[in-house]
Amino acid sequence: MNRTAVRLGVLLLAGAAVTAVLVALLTPFSSGPSGDLPGGDGRSGSPGVVVERLSERDHVLTISSAALGREGMVRVLLPEGWRPGSGPWPVLYLLNGCCQSEYDAWVTRGEAARLTSRYPAVVVVPEGGEVGFYSDWREGPGWESFHLTEVRRILERDYGAGDRRAVAGLSMGGFGAMSYAARHPGMFQAAASFSGVLHTRDGNGGVDWLLGRSGEDSGKLWGDPDDPEWAAHNPSDLTGRLRGVRLFVSCGNGSPGPLDSPAASVDEGETSLLRQAVTFTERARADGAEVAVDFYGPGTHSWPYWQRGLERALPMLMGSIGVTA
């Protein structure tokens, strides 16, 4: 080989090396739960999902949802030791109540991040609509499909979520927790309700009132009041399906309690919910379900009691999915 050929070969090799370095520098690196491409603002995503990492543990998901017909939001709190490809991890769903503008109020107001930080489980706080009632509406969004099909599959695909699950919620979310556990046998090992709507067919259940106050028609949710869909979603009509699911039910009696401000007055809504909780508990126990109750007497329909309820329920919820602190 002559000197000209050698020099040409050296130049070609050097050029290839420079090109490889430039490609490595200019190509976005693979990161995130599913090998996605993060942007400079901390956002990334797999198909149909945009992930904003607020911290290593705290992710916000924006999901293009066919069930909702729009984007839906989910807050995911990851356990210590989580990394892409790890798992399967047990999962705890926390469901919000009605009429709150913050879909992730369990995090922003309920101290969920702090309370769950010592447990090795994925904690999921999904958007549920201000009055979505954790159902696929006859005319409207499909919240049940969003949570239990779309979100579940994303968690399994991108976050290593396993098949050990617990669910808990406040007010409307208490309804969601018990309704989901009953309507999907085997999906959840435990469910908890804090001041939950547990008997939607109770004359003072408040579902019609809550929907009407928000400008919604209950007929678009489950049809007319005598339609079988009301019973098909009502926790107090589904207690026979909860045998084998560990349950926790807490509620106050509506009178001002130790966690209320001095100016608090009697909360008749909480009083009504306690009656529903008692009915649900009696029926569930008669049907052979295991129910732990915390009917703590004085207390209104407010965050301090729900936060305390979660703290009291967590050992049972986490223990049911094989998790200890």
Side-chain angles (χ1 to χ4, degrees), residues 3-313:
R3 290 184 178 181
T4 301
V6 171
R7 287 174 180 170
L8 180 59
V10 170
L11 288 173
L12 290 173
L13 289 172
V18 170
T19 300
V21 171
L22 288 174
V23 170
L25 289 173
L26 297 176
T27 301
F29 61 90
S30 178
S31 180
S34 58
D36 41 353
L37 303 179
D41 59 356
R43 293 177 179 269
S44 60
S46 53
V49 184
V50 175
V51 181
E52 181 181 5
R53 289 165 172 77
L54 302 182
S55 69
E56 286 190 9
R57 185 188 182 214
D58 192 351
H59 293 188
V60 174
L61 279 56
T62 303
I63 299 170
S64 297
S65 169
L68 300 181
R70 62 169 177 81
E71 292 182 336
M73 305 298 295
V74 179
R75 192 95 173 246
V76 179
L77 303 175
L78 299 172
E80 183 177 352
W82 180 91
R83 65 186 185 282
S86 63
W89 294 94
V91 182
L92 170 65
Y93 287 79
L94 294 178
L95 307 182
N96 203 18
C98 83
C99 317
Q100 300 188 49
S101 58
E102 295 176 291
Y103 80 91
D104 54 353
W106 268 116
V107 179
T108 60
R109 302 186 64 185
E111 296 286 337
R114 176 181 62 82
L115 294 174
T116 62
S117 61
R118 58 198 180 100
Y119 292 98
V122 173
V123 179
V124 185
V125 184
E127 177 185 0
E130 290 198 11
V131 284
F133 272 96
Y134 298 95
S135 304
D136 288 350
W137 286 52
R138 289 189 170 186
E139 300 178 47
W143 291 108
E144 190 169 7
S145 293
F146 175 60
H147 296 143
L148 303 187
T149 300
E150 294 179 340
V151 173
R152 176 180 59 81
R153 288 174 178 171
I154 289 167
L155 294 172
E156 292 169 353
R157 180 191 70 194
D158 295 351
Y159 288 95
D163 60 2
R164 301 288 296 176
R165 309 179 192 90
V167 59
L170 67 95
S171 192
M172 180 182 73
F175 158 84
M178 295 303 179
S179 183
Y180 278 0
R183 286 171 55 81
H184 300 270
M187 182 172 286
F188 297 98
Q189 283 70 55
S193 166
F194 316 115
S195 302
V197 180
L198 298 181
H199 192 1
T200 60
R201 298 195 305 121
D202 181 277
N204 297 307
V207 175
D208 281 321
W209 180 79
L210 287 171
L211 291 169
R213 189 180 71 169
S214 299
E216 299 285 355
D217 178 1
S218 63
K220 295 181 179 180
L221 174 60
W222 299 320
D224 295 331
D226 58 350
D227 193 288
E229 282 300 298
W230 282 78
H233 288 83
N234 181 28
S236 287
D237 285 318
L238 300 175
T239 52
R241 298 185 182 184
L242 290 169
R243 191 181 300 111
V245 180
R246 295 183 65 185
L247 307 176
F248 182 97
V249 180
S250 73
C251 196
N253 63 19
S255 61
L259 304 183
D260 289 297
S261 70
S265 59
V266 173
D267 187 334
E268 294 182 359
E270 186 77 357
T271 303
S272 174
L273 292 173
L274 177 60
R275 183 180 62 252
Q276 294 183 30
V278 170
T279 298
F280 171 83
T281 299
E282 290 175 347
R283 292 186 182 184
R285 285 176 169 168
D287 284 329
E290 178 184 349
V291 188
V293 299
D294 182 18
F295 297 151
Y296 44 82
T300 60
H301 200 68
S302 57
W303 269 106
Y305 297 100
W306 305 328
Q307 178 182 323
R308 187 183 69 179
L310 176 61
E311 189 167 14
R312 290 176 173 177

